[in-house]
């Protein structure tokens, strides 16, 4: 059997309530040339039985059960190592892909070989029709000088398998591992903006983002961004970096202030300690933010 | 050869002096995955090359019909005129400065065909909260979303796909200038169930020449609260008494806020106009001006 175009990677941990709907939304795609790799991370409920049922019904489905629990992002990397297709699409076990999801994502990425991956949010990308290719510099301009690009989950991307492997997958920083991954990936590869709202992102009490401690994990994101802006491969110009630091310092100060005002002094402290901004840098960069909705839209200035 | 078969969809493109954007708008329709449509282009007496461009495309693709108005009708009157020329069972307005993404019609048609109870479907630039789409809303749920939730009537005509008979039965758009669409949804959703559709199906181009940028638009929008107030007092209002009281509170608060905003920008004429045009009486101001109560769960099925 020839290898499929897309490997849909579904990582599961105790999701019997939503798993059937999630799998069926993949099998109901109008783009049929995929394999669905379901990797169970040691569920204690009936998730594996549910997955096996579909494996028996549809030969595009492959179920793998981990001998020990890897955790969310290491399990995503493990799933990616099992992919046989040139493109990978993470699909969460509690989400629902709309039938046109793969059909919308795959052709633009195939037609734009310069892009390492495509990104789709829950809304339209402002300022341009899609698909639109962003250079690393434009991606960083959108994130740091505009209104953001890196806040979406793994399910929002279609990634070239060799690019994902070249980037060595997600580094595990807990919940914000995706944001930190986009930050590294967009510095190295052009990204293709895709139409939005291609799947239903379910919010429910059992999901990781609702777990306590997530706010603490996110406190580390500023530190990563601060380092990315100082890194040799940062695609922004000197002036842009200065502005980006200003915006980041302002956002961080606001978050520290908010945590303090709601009485969570430990969180406020964690945010201050983990942001990586030194006292001298606070003095230098704590100014009014300056963001523009058209950042990353204009052709790069020489 | 005369094609006597009826297309399923009539795409209605009203155009007035849009030579710069028209070719991209037309080509985005011709490259839809869904091919069973007619494209009706109605020129509202353009003084530029709009009509020539439209006729040039009509020569090349027999799905295109071009009509030239004998006199200028204006935006919404021309939309109604275009709808009167439609032969399809479903109507889709496509603006002459927008770009439909290739999956647009496929997604809208499929959902509306699968839900015969819905009079029309609505899509916007961001995902609808509260569940996977397509999501069927009764008139009461639609009103709950608009008045007790975070709004749903701020969609342009191109966000909708109508059953032709429903659009005609409703008598088309009443012309209130720029907010004619919002006022139409208010009336339509009281009478027909609506289907919420996936978002970001077309690129809504923002440019200096468009109607929404004209200076008297803010004054036209100032009349929307009066329409809401009347809709809430109408016997056909699908909300119960308690919900109507909360809805009036929310409308009053928003009106006060927008008047306050205008005053803060030192546009006292607009601020006063917003208060007066709302038609809220002094007694009603006293009774209803309280902090708003809105919930993300309003209009979401249990």
């Amino acid at each position: 059997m020839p290898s499929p175009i897309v490997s849909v990677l579904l990582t599961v941990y105790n999701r019997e309530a939503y798993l059937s709907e999630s799998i069926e939304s993949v099998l109901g795609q109008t783009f049929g040339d995929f394999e669905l790799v379901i990797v169970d991370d040691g569920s204690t409920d009936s998730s594996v039985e549910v997955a096996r049922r579909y494996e028996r019904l549809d030969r595009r489905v492959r179920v793998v059960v981990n001998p020990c629990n890897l955790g969310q992002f290491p399990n995503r990397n493990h799933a990616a190592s099992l992919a046989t297709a040139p493109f990978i699409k993470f699909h969460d076990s509690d989400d629902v892909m709309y039938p046109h999801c793969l059909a919308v994502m795959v052709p633009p990425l195939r037609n734009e070989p310069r892009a390492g991956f495509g990104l789709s949010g829950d809304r339209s990308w402002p300022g341009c029709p899609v698909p639109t290719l962003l250079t690393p510099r434009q991606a960083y301009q959108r994130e740091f000088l505009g209104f953001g690009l890196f806040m979406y989950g793994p399910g929002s991307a279609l990634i070239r398998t060799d690019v994902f492997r070249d980037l060595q997958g997600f580094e595990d920083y807990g919940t914000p591992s995706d944001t930190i991954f986009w930050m590294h990936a967009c510095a190295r590869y052009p990204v293709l903006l895709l139409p939005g709202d291609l799947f239903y992102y379910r919010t429910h009490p059992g999901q990781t983002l609702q777990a306590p401690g997530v706010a603490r994990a996110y406190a580390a994101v500023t530190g990563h961004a601060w380092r990315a802006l100082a890194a040799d491969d940062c695609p922004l110009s000197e002036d842009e970096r200065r502005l980006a630091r200003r915006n980041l310092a302002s956002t961080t100060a606001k978050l520290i202030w908010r945590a303090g005002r709601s009485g969570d002094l430990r969180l406020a402290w964690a945010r201050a300690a983990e942001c990586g901004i030194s006292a001298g840098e606070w003095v230098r960069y704590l100014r009014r933010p300056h963001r523009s909705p058209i950042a990353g839209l204009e052709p790069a200035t020489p | 050869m005369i094609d006597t078969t009826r297309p399923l969809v009539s795409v209605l493109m009203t155009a007035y002096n849009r030579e710069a954007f028209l070719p991209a708008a037309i080509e985005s329709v011709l490259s839809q995955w869904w091919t069973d449509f007619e494209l009706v282009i109605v020129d509202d007496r353009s003084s530029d090359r709009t009509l020539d461009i439209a006729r040039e495309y009509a020569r090349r693709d027999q799905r295109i019909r071009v009509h030239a108005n004998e006199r200028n009708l204006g935006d919404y009157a021309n939309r109604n005129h275009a709808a009167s020329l439609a032969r399809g069972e479903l109507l889709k307005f496509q603006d002459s400065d927008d770009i439909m993404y290739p999956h647009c019609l496929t997604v809208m048609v499929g959902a509306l065909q699968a839900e015969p109870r819905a009079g029309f479907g609505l899509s916007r630039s961001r995902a609808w909260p509260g569940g996977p789409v397509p999501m069927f809303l009764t008139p009461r749920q639609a009103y709950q979303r608009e008045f007790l939730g975070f709004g749903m009537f701020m969609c342009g005509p191109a966000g909708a796909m109508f059953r032709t008979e429903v659009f005609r039965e409703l008598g088309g758009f009443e012309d209130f200038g720029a907010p004619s669409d919002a006022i139409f949804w208010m009336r339509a959703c009281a009478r027909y169930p609506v289907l919420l559709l996936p978002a970001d199906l077309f690129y809504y181009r923002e440019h200096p020449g468009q109607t929404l940028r004209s200076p008297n638009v803010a004054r036209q929008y100032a009349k929307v609260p009066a329409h809401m107030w009347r809709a809430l007092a109408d016997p056909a209002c699908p909300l119960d008494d308690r919900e109507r009281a909360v809805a009036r509170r929310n409308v009053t608060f928003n009106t006060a806020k927008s008047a306050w905003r205008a005053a803060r920008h030192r546009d006292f004429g607009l601020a006063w106009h917003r208060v007066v045009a709302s038609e809220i009486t002094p007694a009603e101001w006293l009774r209803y001006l309280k902090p708003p109560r809105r919930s993300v769960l309003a209009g979401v099925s249990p």
Side-chain angles (χ1 to χ4, degrees):
Chain A
M1 203 170 73
S3 91
I5 306 268
V6 184
S7 293
V8 178
L9 307 176
L10 205 164
T11 50
V12 192
Y13 180 66
N14 287 348
R15 281 284 164 72
E16 60 181 7
Y18 306 121
L19 189 58
S20 293
E21 199 184 350
S22 170
I23 294 173
E24 281 171 26
S25 77
V26 180
L27 301 181
Q29 289 294 299
T30 56
F31 181 97
D33 191 6
F34 61 80
E35 61 172 355
L36 170 59
V37 184
I38 305 176
V39 186
D40 184 84
D41 205 16
S43 295
T44 53
D45 67 0
S46 68
S47 292
V48 176
E49 288 95 281
V50 172
R52 293 265 188 230
R53 204 165 64 224
Y54 288 97
E55 189 181 37
R56 281 192 296 274
L57 291 171
D58 194 313
R59 54 202 293 234
R60 295 174 298 181
V61 180
R62 196 150 50 104
V63 178
V64 176
V65 179
N66 293 343
C68 63
N69 180 281
L70 296 175
Q72 189 196 162
F73 281 93
N75 195 25
R76 289 185 195 275
N77 291 339
H78 175 52
S81 74
L82 304 169
T84 64
F87 297 98
I88 55 178
K89 167 75 176 71
F90 290 102
H91 171 63
D92 289 355
S93 53
D94 47 355
D95 290 349
V96 176
M97 263 191 209
Y98 296 141
H100 54 291
C101 178
L102 292 180
V104 170
M105 294 182 106
V106 174
L109 196 59
R110 288 181 94 184
N111 292 335
E112 182 44 272
R114 291 173 294 175
F117 52 101
L119 273 185
S120 161
D122 66 341
R123 62 192 67 185
S124 59
W125 295 110
C128 59
V130 289
T132 286
L133 184 76
L134 299 185
T135 61
R137 182 168 177 209
Q138 288 173 316
Y140 265 57
Q141 286 171 330
R142 280 203 176 227
E143 172 64 21
F144 292 107
L145 312 176
F147 291 93
L149 183 69
F150 298 162
M151 67 293 233
Y152 291 107
S156 58
L158 181 70
I159 313 174
R160 284 185 205 284
T161 308
D162 52 359
V163 166
F164 188 77
R165 288 181 185 157
D166 175 55
L167 289 163
Q168 300 184 323
F170 295 104
E171 286 183 90
D172 191 6
Y173 300 105
T175 317
S177 301
D178 41 13
T179 301
I180 295 163
F181 178 79
W182 308 134
M183 208 181 307
H184 294 307
C186 284
R188 302 253 323 262
Y189 289 95
V191 57
L192 193 65
L193 301 184
L194 297 173
D197 198 21
L198 299 177
F199 63 96
Y200 171 55
Y201 177 78
R202 193 190 300 272
T203 47
H204 57 95
Q207 74 192 146
T208 325
L209 266 179
Q210 312 264 345
V214 164
R216 298 270 324 244
Y218 269 95
V221 171
T222 313
H224 284 273
W226 203 257
R227 281 192 293 280
L229 290 173
D232 291 335
D233 65 352
C234 173
L236 296 177
S237 72
E238 274 307 321
D239 281 353
E240 289 168 339
R241 285 191 213 198
R242 207 160 28 242
L243 203 51
R245 290 197 179 103
R246 237 168 94 159
N247 292 340
L248 202 53
S250 156
T251 305
T252 309
K254 205 162 70 181
L255 288 171
I256 294 170
W257 170 252
R258 252 192 226 153
R261 217 180 43 179
S262 66
D264 194 342
L265 297 180
R266 287 178 61 171
L267 178 59
W269 175 250
R271 282 187 167 145
E274 290 179 35
C275 68
I277 306 174
S278 70
E281 288 168 332
W282 275 117
V283 172
R284 183 161 168 208
Y285 293 112
L286 189 56
R287 307 250 151 73
R288 273 166 169 271
H290 187 85
R291 290 186 182 268
S292 155
I294 57 163
L297 284 181
E298 293 151 307
T301 45
Chain B
M1 192 179 80
I2 296 165
D3 185 3
T4 50
T5 57
R6 270 179 82 191
L8 184 66
V9 183
S10 292
V11 178
L12 307 176
M13 187 183 292
T14 51
Y16 179 65
N17 288 349
R18 283 283 167 71
E19 59 180 9
F21 304 125
L22 193 63
I26 294 174
E27 278 165 32
S28 77
V29 179
L30 300 182
S31 48
Q32 288 292 301
W33 297 349
W34 184 271
T35 55
D36 182 15
F37 62 79
E38 59 172 356
L39 169 58
V40 183
I41 305 176
V42 186
D43 180 74
D44 207 15
R45 297 211 68 80
S46 298
S47 53
D48 66 358
R49 292 192 58 249
T50 297
L51 189 55
D52 299 335
I53 294 169
R55 290 204 163 126
E56 177 61 36
Y57 278 99
R59 270 194 290 278
R60 281 187 265 153
D61 194 314
Q62 55 168 343
R63 293 174 297 181
I64 302 179
R65 284 195 286 150
V66 178
H67 285 260
N69 289 344
E70 285 169 22
R71 59 187 178 86
N72 179 281
L73 296 175
D75 187 3
Y76 281 93
N78 196 24
R79 289 183 194 273
N80 290 339
H81 176 53
S84 75
L85 303 170
R87 295 184 307 160
E89 290 167 38
L90 301 170
L91 298 184
K92 168 73 176 74
F93 290 100
Q94 145 79 348
D95 289 355
S96 50
D97 49 354
D98 290 350
I99 292 175
M100 266 191 203
Y101 295 142
H103 57 295
C104 179
L105 290 181
T106 301
V107 169
M108 292 180 125
V109 171
L112 214 54
Q113 281 189 318
E115 182 45 274
R117 292 173 299 170
F120 57 104
L122 271 186
S123 168
R124 60 176 186 180
S125 67
R126 58 167 72 181
W128 296 107
V133 287
M135 193 192 306
F136 178 81
L137 300 186
T138 62
R140 182 169 175 211
Q141 287 172 318
Y143 265 58
Q144 287 170 332
R145 280 200 176 233
E146 173 62 25
F147 292 105
L148 313 175
F150 289 89
M152 63 171 276
F153 293 162
M154 277 310 179
C155 299
M161 177 170 276
F162 300 96
R163 291 188 201 286
T164 307
E165 58 189 51
V166 167
F167 187 78
R168 289 183 183 156
E169 208 271 317
L170 287 163
F173 294 104
E174 286 183 274
D175 193 357
F176 299 106
S180 300
D181 44 10
I183 295 165
F184 179 81
W185 309 134
M186 212 181 304
R187 193 159 58 88
C189 284
R191 302 257 319 266
Y192 288 94
V194 57
L195 196 61
L196 300 185
L197 300 174
D200 198 19
L201 299 176
F202 60 96
Y203 171 55
Y204 177 78
R205 191 191 300 272
E206 295 178 73
H207 57 96
Q210 74 195 145
T211 323
L212 271 178
R213 300 294 179 96
S214 72
N216 61 353
V217 160
R219 293 184 74 88
Q220 291 172 351
Y221 269 96
K223 299 200 172 86
V224 171
H227 287 274
M228 291 179 155
W229 210 256
R230 282 196 288 277
L232 291 172
D234 194 287
C237 173
L239 298 177
D240 68 29
D241 284 340
R242 195 182 46 82
E243 289 168 333
R244 284 190 217 200
V246 179
R248 288 198 176 102
R249 239 169 99 153
N250 294 342
V251 172
T252 309
F253 185 84
N254 267 10
T255 307
K257 200 167 73 179
S258 63
W260 168 250
R261 260 196 218 140
R264 233 181 30 184
H265 285 94
R266 311 211 139 267
D267 190 344
F268 298 109
L270 178 60
W272 178 243
H273 182 68
R274 280 183 169 152
V275 172
V276 174
S278 74
E279 297 178 21
I280 301 173
T281 65
E284 288 167 335
W285 276 109
L286 283 177
R287 182 162 170 205
Y288 293 113
L289 188 57
K290 307 220 172 78
R293 273 213 309 248
R294 293 188 181 267
S295 156
V296 276
L297 293 177
V300 175
S301 310

